[in-house]
Amino acid sequence: MKDRGHIAYIEDIIESIDKILRYLDTVNGLDDFLKNEMVIDAVTRNYEIIGEAVNQVPKAVKEKYPQLPWKQMYGLRNFAIHEYHLIDPVILWEIAEDHLVDNKIQLENLLDQERGT
């Protein structure tokens, strides 16, 4: 597989965050989310994409931006892939509610710095 460069992977992470937030906007709160398997599946899939993209970001970039939860993003991917039967949708919801907007802002700032804009 050809290396796409860390900028492309950061863009993938931001795109998946945007998708998660859009999917969650289609439900009316946590109770509605818990009843919607398709949204849960779509959200889970995009957390997996985030984790896989994080895994492709070079260590030097991660060390340059330690404020981002790189290890947790990759860990959630591993959990979703290998322990899928234990996934608690409430946790997926809480991560989105408590962290994704801030993570997206930090990633957009990272892109600005890496691009020199």
Side-chain angles (χ1 to χ4, degrees), residues 30-38 40:
L30 176 59
D31 289 336
D32 196 26
F33 174 65
L34 295 174
K35 296 174 189 171
N36 194 320
E37 288 180 346
M38 284 193 300
I40 291 170

Side-chain angles (χ1 to χ4, degrees), residues 16-17 29 39-40 43 51 53 64 80 87-88 90 94 96-97 113 117:
S16 285
I17 289 172
V39 174
I40 291 170
V43 166
K64 190 174 175 182
I87 290 210
D88 182 353
V90 173
E94 289 173 350
E97 288 287 305
Q113 290 178 30
T117 58

Side-chain angles (χ1 to χ4, degrees), residues 15-32:
E15 181 180 331
S16 285
I17 289 172
D18 285 339
K19 286 181 179 181
I20 291 169
L21 296 174
R22 276 196 320 271
Y23 298 151
L24 293 179
D25 277 345
T26 68
V27 296
N28 252 345
L30 176 59
D31 289 336
D32 196 26

Side-chain angles (χ1 to χ4, degrees), residues 69-82:
W70 303 109
K71 195 176 284 187
Q72 292 88 343
M73 289 189 279
Y74 184 65
L76 181 57
R77 175 254 183 222
N78 281 346
F79 189 77
I81 296 286
H82 300 291

Side-chain angles (χ1 to χ4, degrees), residues 54-72:
V54 162
N55 194 40
Q56 302 302 318
V57 174
K59 184 178 179 182
V61 174
K62 293 175 190 172
E63 289 173 349
K64 190 174 175 182
Y65 302 96
Q67 71 277 15
L68 281 153
W70 303 109
K71 195 176 284 187
Q72 292 88 343

